Amino acid sequence: MSQENSARIAVLVPVYNHAEAVGQTLARLALLQLPVILVDDGSDAHCAGVLDALTETATVDLVRLPVNRGKGAAIRAGLARAAERGLTHVLQVDADGQHEAADLPPFVEGLRADDEVLRLGYPRFDASVPRHRFYSRYITHSLVWLATLSFELRDTMCGVKLYPVAAVNRLVAEHPCGDRMEFDSELPVRWHWQGGRVANLPVRVRYPLDGVSHFRLWRDNVLLARMHLRLVLGMLRRLPDLLSRRQERLS
């Protein structure tokens, strides 16, 4: 691959009060030998100080949001910074250290600068996964499969995703895909609707280094329910096209 066709990649890590885990997470991500964009999503003073210390290395860039806006807003801010820096791709990885770093190189291998493929992680859980979380994921999986009339999106909830920067920024400029956890599922569905290419790659998952969960039962379940309703209605508007594409794959 010529130098001019090589992808320019960074790791994107959204952070909200993962002070105890984020340093270890970045240490493990060092095996990728990629620059890092940290997005501080309005963390408290203790975590903000930890992030400031991490930026003492030249390979770590910090984007700071003044107040907590949610994972989706943090990822969009990181994608905007990636575009400013002329990057072609970012690899989103959660800050809490639950993803096995040794499984991440395939997400970035073989990329060209013009490669517009959304690479989605699907989890391989160990015994640490809470059973209710494992089984409740299938509610979202089923609704995503319904919204796309496809099993192409194997798991949209995993916190490891490889984004083509320019293409995803074009998508979120038209459809922001939510400020909080709904972003993880809505963006891949809309990517599928527009005919974008997808690859699903396995990643081992353990629960997590610091035990911090930012899922808010009522708020986030309402947001997710609204998202799934919006996506199912969107599927109905796109039904002829989705059925035609499904028939082409089966023929």
Side-chain angles (χ1 to χ4, degrees):
M1 185 185 302
S2 69
Q3 190 66 32
E4 65 180 20
N5 288 332
S6 297
R8 299 178 296 281
I9 312 167
V11 181
L12 170 58
V13 183
V15 186
Y16 178 53
N17 291 342
H18 283 293
E20 307 307 319
V22 65
Q24 296 178 57
T25 298
L26 261 60
R28 291 171 176 168
L29 291 173
L31 67 86
L32 294 171
Q33 298 183 315
L34 293 172
V36 174
I37 300 173
L38 290 175
V39 181
D40 178 4
D41 186 21
S43 296
D44 60 24
H46 173 51
C47 185
V50 171
L51 298 179
D52 286 337
L54 290 170
T55 62
E56 292 177 2
T57 171
T59 61
V60 178
D61 184 9
L62 178 62
V63 178
R64 177 154 280 149
L65 303 181
V67 296
N68 176 251
R69 293 176 54 200
K71 185 177 184 181
I75 294 169
R76 289 199 303 273
L79 285 162
R81 175 60 62 85
E84 291 172 3
R85 292 178 50 180
L87 301 174
T88 61
H89 298 78
V90 293
L91 176 64
Q92 172 199 325
V93 181
D94 286 347
D96 58 10
Q98 66 176 302
H99 303 111
E100 179 56 60
D103 294 337
L104 300 181
F107 285 82
V108 298
E109 287 173 353
L111 282 176
R112 300 187 315 170
D114 60 355
D115 195 348
E116 292 190 350
V117 59
L118 182 66
R119 294 182 176 178
L120 303 177
Y122 65 88
R124 295 302 199 194
F125 293 109
D126 65 12
S128 69
V129 60
R131 291 292 94 185
H132 71 280
R133 290 196 183 188
F134 179 81
Y135 292 113
S136 65
R137 295 175 75 90
Y138 280 88
I139 298 173
T140 290
H141 295 345
S142 298
L143 291 168
V144 165
W145 297 334
L146 174 62
T148 58
L149 298 184
S150 168
F151 296 111
E152 183 179 20
L153 304 177
R154 182 161 179 168
D155 187 305
T156 59
M157 301 175 71
C158 182
V160 176
K161 293 180 172 70
L162 187 281
Y163 295 119
V165 171
V168 171
N169 278 335
R170 288 194 300 269
L171 190 157
V172 298
E174 185 175 357
H175 303 287
C177 298
D179 282 345
R180 297 194 176 273
M181 294 184 180
E182 69 271 32
F183 184 93
D184 267 339
S185 292
E186 183 164 352
L187 187 139
V189 169
R190 291 191 178 278
W191 181 267
H192 174 88
W193 282 350
Q194 68 178 18
R197 292 187 296 130
V198 173
N200 298 284
L201 302 174
V203 58
R204 285 169 289 173
V205 176
R206 57 181 178 275
Y207 273 77
L209 287 175
D210 60 5
V212 175
S213 172
H214 299 304
F215 188 84
R216 298 294 177 260
L217 183 63
W218 293 107
R219 180 198 68 189
D220 289 323
N221 275 327
V222 168
L223 289 172
L224 291 171
R226 288 175 177 171
M227 175 201 70
H228 285 303
L229 177 60
R230 186 165 62 247
L231 294 181
V232 169
L233 292 175
M235 176 272 291
L236 293 174
R237 292 196 299 272
R238 296 167 174 82
L239 190 58
D241 178 58
L242 293 173
L243 288 174
S244 175
R245 286 163 54 184
R246 180 179 173 85
Q247 185 60 39
E248 288 176 3
R249 287 194 300 269
L250 294 176
S251 61

